[in-house]
Amino acid sequence: MKCVILGFGFLARYLLPCCEHLLGRCDGQTLAAVKGTPRDIEALRARYPFPVQAGGALEALRSLRPDVVLLCVKPHQVAAVLEDAVKPYLREMRAAGQALPDIYAFAAGLTPVDYLPLLGEDVNVACMTPNMLCAIEGRDVAPVGVCFVSFAPGHVWPAQNRRRALAFLRPVGTVLEITPEIVPDYIALNCSCHMMFEFNYIAQEALERAGRRVSLAQTAQGYRLAFRKIFDEPCAHLVECDGTLWDAGTLAVMELFMRGWYEGLMAYCARAGVPREAAHRNACASMEVFQMEVQLETRAQLEETTRLHATPGGFLEKAIATFAREGMACCQEIWRRALEGQTAPDALARVRSIAETVLESTARHGREMARRAGEQCAASAR
């Protein structure tokens, strides 16, 4: 097995354990990586035992002749990379009567249906989204997180290739297959759960204003305990949780937030046609693993993680911005009033509504991104 990575950025480097799982080893005989620019190229070459080059994607494909191509560029870069490198390479392979590589595509929001008009109906394209949190401070939490894969409806893959595609992401999480039309909703669902970071910041600040100095590790454990009525799979216990930290009253407030957020996410998914079991597993796993991250890392680490993942114009940036605009002040007020013994009777409904708003706004933004990228692909196909 051989593989070429097009777009050797943060995501592609995160996927290297998956490449090793696929290839058996990652070296110059099995793997090549291509970056769009020469930035940090020498450091990357010194770090990895396989060639890393700036530009020359078509030449890399011709040289290695891969079985699998990982397309890890940003959505707005997809059309150019396909037109300049992948499409000419496939044309050459067809002319020579050679087998075409499978394409594993990671551009957020795009579906296999967007790729086939440009690349050809004979190409196997799978769109993938990995769980981006498989280890926290040396602790293996990959079984908690969800990865998902989608295939074009009606396109028949060879059975071995399809199994290989579904197995690719196993090193970084539990893999689910979903249909292409709900991909933007599913990505937005995960990103909406990132507000678990904000839940802890809000709780810590509210408790400290009430004279109770606490750590984020403590608040995260409280939220996790409060979530056990909804999510209590074995993987939720991979990171310990101290049940003695919080009184019943504070845990009740945390349960209100976790339950309200979960119910709001599920309400949107029901409207959007996301299958209940798939929505439940994604929402629960994402909420749980983000709470684990807060428990085990410092605020500086959490803020750096957010900076890396919230790419400009992307899903996560939109989710955070929507929460800041539509939900932050309300959540702060609910905490403040609860600590004063005045929990409003509509507090649960308000949290539920905020969650639904964040997810709907993020999914709509993701569909618009996908639409623009799909139009670029379609234009290239013409």
Side-chain angles (χ1 to χ4, degrees):
M1 293 292 297
K2 294 180 288 185
C3 176
V4 168
I5 300 173
L6 303 181
F8 195 55
F10 177 78
L11 171 62
R13 297 195 290 271
Y14 177 81
L15 293 172
L16 287 176
C18 302
C19 294
E20 188 170 6
H21 175 71
L22 172 73
L23 304 173
R25 68 185 195 279
C26 294
D27 58 26
Q29 302 301 311
T30 62
L31 182 64
V34 181
K35 282 174 49 59
T37 71
R39 179 180 165 187
D40 299 327
I41 192 77
E42 292 306 325
L44 293 171
R45 287 171 174 166
R47 180 176 179 182
Y48 296 109
F50 49 83
V52 181
Q53 63 189 62
L58 179 56
E59 290 72 21
L61 293 168
R62 287 169 173 163
S63 176
L64 197 61
R65 297 184 61 175
D67 303 282
V68 172
V69 174
L70 300 192
L71 190 62
C72 297
V73 298
K74 295 180 174 64
H76 70 275
Q77 299 169 325
V78 167
V81 171
L82 296 183
E83 188 65 39
D84 296 342
V86 180
K87 185 176 178 180
Y89 178 70
L90 296 176
R91 188 164 52 239
E92 292 172 9
M93 296 297 284
R94 290 187 187 100
Q98 299 296 312
L100 304 180
D102 295 339
I103 311 294
Y104 298 172
F106 292 85
L110 286 174
T111 75
V113 177
D114 296 309
Y115 292 94
L116 294 181
L118 178 59
L119 299 181
E121 298 294 329
D122 56 344
V123 182
N124 299 323
V125 181
C127 288
M128 303 186 177
T129 300
N131 162 43
M132 293 301 293
L133 191 59
C134 62
I136 309 171
E137 294 297 295
R139 309 283 286 274
D140 178 16
V141 296
V144 187
V146 173
C147 311
F148 46 99
V149 180
S150 63
F151 303 95
H155 179 89
V156 179
W157 283 57
Q160 180 180 358
N161 297 50
R162 196 176 194 279
R163 285 194 299 269
R164 191 166 61 210
L166 286 170
F168 179 72
L169 292 174
R170 282 181 190 162
V172 295
T174 298
V175 181
L176 300 178
E177 181 182 345
I178 62 172
T179 56
E181 61 269 17
I182 65 169
V183 166
D185 302 301
Y186 221 61
I187 298 173
L189 175 56
N190 172 266
C191 291
S192 298
C193 295
H194 199 278
M195 298 316 108
M196 298 303 100
F197 284 22
E198 279 68 21
F199 275 19
N200 283 278
Y201 303 155
I202 291 168
Q204 184 186 48
E205 291 161 8
L207 287 160
E208 289 189 354
R209 280 196 300 272
R212 299 167 64 181
R213 189 167 184 81
V214 298
S215 67
L216 291 176
Q218 290 172 318
T219 60
Q221 289 180 76
Y223 279 122
R224 291 181 61 215
L225 286 168
F227 199 43
R228 286 293 168 265
K229 293 178 183 178
I230 296 174
F231 185 64
D232 198 20
E233 291 186 11
C235 63
H237 299 272
L238 289 172
V239 175
E240 69 284 347
C241 203
D242 188 345
T244 67
L245 287 171
W246 295 103
D247 59 275
T250 308
L251 282 174
V253 183
M254 292 172 165
E255 183 178 349
L256 180 154
F257 274 91
M258 297 298 279
R259 179 183 164 197
W261 201 259
Y262 167 80
E263 289 180 356
L265 299 179
M266 294 298 288
Y268 170 82
C269 288
R271 287 195 290 109
V274 180
R276 178 173 175 77
E277 284 305 309
H280 170 79
R281 186 61 176 81
N282 188 351
C284 290
S286 300
M287 290 172 70
E288 181 72 38
V289 81
F290 286 134
Q291 292 288 2
M292 288 178 170
E293 190 172 12
V294 176
Q295 179 178 332
L296 296 175
E297 294 184 348
T298 66
R299 181 153 183 171
Q301 288 174 298
L302 298 172
E303 290 173 347
E304 175 63 9
T305 296
T306 301
R307 186 190 68 79
L308 288 171
H309 289 192
T311 54
F315 281 79
L316 180 55
E317 182 188 64
K318 181 65 173 181
I320 293 170
T322 303
F323 179 75
R325 184 180 65 251
E326 303 288 344
M328 179 76 78
C330 179
C331 291
Q332 289 170 331
E333 180 193 358
I334 290 171
W335 259 108
R336 178 184 60 76
R337 293 186 63 183
L339 292 174
E340 294 172 353
Q342 304 173 19
T343 301
D346 66 342
L348 179 66
R350 292 167 74 185
V351 174
R352 188 187 298 126
S353 177
I354 294 166
E356 196 167 354
T357 297
V358 169
L359 177 48
E360 182 173 19
S361 176
T362 305
R364 185 169 57 247
H365 175 71
R367 289 187 189 283
E368 177 59 22
M369 281 199 308
R371 184 190 64 77
R372 291 195 298 268
E375 286 178 350
Q376 288 180 324
C377 288
S380 296
R382 292 193 292 270

